[in-house]
Amino acid sequence: MDWFNQQIAQPDPVYYKKALQRQRLLTKPPGSLGKLEDLAARLAAMQGTETPSLERVRISVFAADHGISEEEVSAFPRSVTVEMVRNFSEGGAAINVLARQIDAGLEIIDAGIHRSLGLDNVIESRAGNGTDNFLKGDAMTGDQLKNAMDAGKKAVERAMLQQAQLMIGGEMGIGNTTSATAMLSALTGIDASEITGAGTGLDGRGILRKTEVIHRALHKHRLNPDNPLGILKCLGGFEIAALTGLYIQAAIQRMPVLVDGFIASVASMLAVKINSRVLPWLFYAHRSDEKGHQTVLDYLGVEPILNLQMRLGEGSGAAVAVPVLTAACALHNEMATFSQAGVSSGSG
C-alpha cells in the first residue's frame, strides 16, 4: 500500500490569488457573493486555471455489508443492502435521480456485499462477503483492507479516463453508521454516547443499544488514535475503506472531491490522518443530520456548503450541492468587470 505515501501537490496558490483578484473586479460589492467567491477561487487553484469549470462530474457509490449488523444496531436488516444495490442498478434510488438531474456520470461498485449479484451494471471490486463482526474480532484482514482501498483508487482512475473535473463518493451498507461512529470515537477519544445517532431511524432505545455495542468494541480493541489504518482494519467497512482510498488517490491525481455526509466525512477524516495533504482537495457538501457529523467537521476545521438536515448517504447531499459549485464557477467566469460594464467601482 505504498501508494498512500505518494507526494501530494497542493492547489496552486497563484491561481487562488488571481481568482480572488478577479472577484474584486466584478460588478458587485466586495464579498457580496459570500462563500461562492471562495469556492470559485479554491476550484480555480485546484484546476490550475483562471476559468474553473464543472462540466464533467463523476459519482462512485460503494456498497458493502457489515458483520456488526448482527448486533441489531440498525432499524433495517442486512438484506436491505442487496435490495438497494438492485435499486441503484435499476435507476430508482435518490442518487440515480440526482445524478440525472445534474448530468453526472454514475457508477455502482460492489465493494463487499454478503453475496455477489452478478449485475451487468454493477462493478465488482469485492474485498469479501461483508466484514466480520468487530465485537468478535477485527472487521477485516490486512489483505481485505488493501483490496477495499484499492477499489477507491481504481474508481479515481476510471474518473480520470472520463476526464472528470469533480468526484463524489457515496456509500450504502446496513450497519455503517455504527462502524463510522466507532471509528470517530477511536480517532478523537470522544465517548460514543456523545456522537451516536439514529442512523437508519433507530428510536431512543435502539440508540442506547448501538452506543453500548460501540463501547464494548472500543474496550475490546483499545485502538491507538494515531493509527488510522489500524482503526479502519478493526472497525471499518469495505465501502468506508474504499472511500478513504478514493480521497487519497483523488488528491494524488489533483482531482477535486465533494465529500458527502457523516460516513463519507469519517472516511475523509481517516484519509487526512493517513496523509494530511489530502484535505485541501476536499469540499464538504453538507452538514448531515446524523449526530456525530458536526464533530467530524469541527475536527477537520471545515465548513459545509449546505445544511438541509439530510442523512440519506449514497452521495445524495453532495449531488445536491453540485449546482452551488456550478453557480460559483458561472458567476466567476461570466460576470462583467467594472471596466467592461462601464460601472463605477467606487466604495460607498
Side-chain angles (χ1 to χ4, degrees):
M1 296 196 286
D2 289 345
W3 62 274
F4 295 166
N5 299 316
Q6 288 186 45
Q7 183 67 26
I8 295 178
Q10 298 299 271
D12 194 324
V14 173
Y15 282 102
Y16 182 78
K17 184 177 180 180
K18 285 182 177 180
L20 292 182
Q21 288 172 340
R22 174 171 170 78
Q23 286 289 333
R24 289 192 287 270
L25 299 176
L26 300 179
T27 47
K28 59 178 179 59
S32 60
L33 289 177
K35 296 177 187 177
L36 295 177
E37 297 183 13
D38 187 65
L39 290 174
R42 285 190 62 201
L43 197 57
M46 292 176 184
Q47 294 181 347
T49 179
E50 295 184 36
T51 54
S53 173
L54 286 181
E55 296 176 0
R56 297 179 299 279
V57 177
R58 180 86 166 182
I59 305 172
S60 299
V61 179
F62 301 90
D65 277 308
H66 291 253
I68 199 64
S69 62
E70 298 171 357
E71 305 299 328
E72 299 179 4
V73 292
S74 173
F76 290 90
R78 184 180 71 169
S79 59
V80 170
T81 305
V82 166
E83 292 164 0
M84 281 302 300
V85 170
R86 289 190 185 278
N87 192 25
F88 293 145
S89 73
E90 294 168 2
I95 194 59
N96 300 99
V97 175
L98 292 167
R100 292 192 291 267
Q101 182 71 23
I102 63 174
D103 194 25
L106 173 64
E107 62 176 17
I108 310 302
I109 302 102
D110 174 2
I113 57 177
H114 69 270
R115 61 185 174 89
S116 173
L117 297 180
L119 297 171
D120 289 341
N121 54 351
V122 173
I123 296 168
E124 290 205 350
S125 194
R126 296 169 53 79
N129 297 323
T131 55
D132 291 334
N133 185 338
F134 59 68
L135 267 184
K136 300 175 181 177
D138 290 357
M140 64 188 84
T141 67
D143 284 344
Q144 287 176 323
L145 173 60
K146 176 185 180 299
N147 291 338
M149 296 188 75
D150 280 348
K153 179 176 182 285
K154 291 172 184 175
V156 175
E157 292 167 354
R158 290 190 296 271
M160 296 292 292
L161 291 175
Q162 297 296 319
Q163 297 183 311
Q165 296 166 305
L166 179 78
M167 280 202 78
I168 293 170
E171 43 65 34
M172 172 64 211
I174 295 300
N176 62 8
T177 59
T178 304
S179 174
T181 304
M183 290 192 291
L184 177 58
S185 184
L187 286 164
T188 63
I190 297 173
D191 191 272
S193 62
E194 298 182 33
I195 53 177
T196 302
T200 50
L202 291 172
D203 59 14
R205 192 171 177 179
I207 293 171
L208 286 175
R209 176 178 177 80
K210 181 176 172 180
T211 303
E212 176 59 24
V213 166
I214 294 170
H215 279 151
R216 289 164 55 199
L218 293 174
H219 179 75
K220 173 183 176 62
H221 291 286
R222 299 185 182 276
L223 295 159
N224 180 350
D226 294 322
N227 182 8
L229 289 173
I231 290 171
L232 190 50
K233 176 177 176 288
C234 287
L235 304 173
F238 295 144
E239 81 282 35
I240 301 173
L243 286 172
T244 303
L246 181 152
Y247 299 136
I248 296 171
Q249 181 65 8
I252 291 170
Q253 297 296 334
R254 301 177 61 89
M255 172 75 75
V257 178
L258 190 52
V259 180
D260 193 39
F262 174 60
I263 294 159
S265 294
V266 170
S268 79
M269 188 173 170
L270 289 159
V272 171
K273 287 282 283 186
I274 293 167
N275 192 327
S276 62
R277 293 174 71 86
V278 169
L279 186 59
W281 294 97
L282 308 179
F283 293 102
Y284 285 79
H286 72 118
R287 183 195 181 279
S288 168
D289 213 31
E290 184 64 22
K291 187 175 181 181
H293 194 206
Q294 188 62 51
T295 299
V296 182
L297 299 174
D298 290 344
Y299 181 91
L300 293 169
V302 296
E303 190 171 353
I305 296 170
L306 302 172
N307 183 356
L308 300 175
Q309 299 180 333
M310 296 176 69
R311 55 181 180 86
L312 175 60
E314 304 177 11
S316 57
V320 169
V322 167
V324 177
L325 281 176
T326 303
C329 291
L331 289 163
H332 182 81
N333 296 336
E334 299 174 26
M335 278 185 70
T337 64
F338 284 105
S339 62
Q340 288 171 333
V343 174
S344 172
S345 61
S347 61

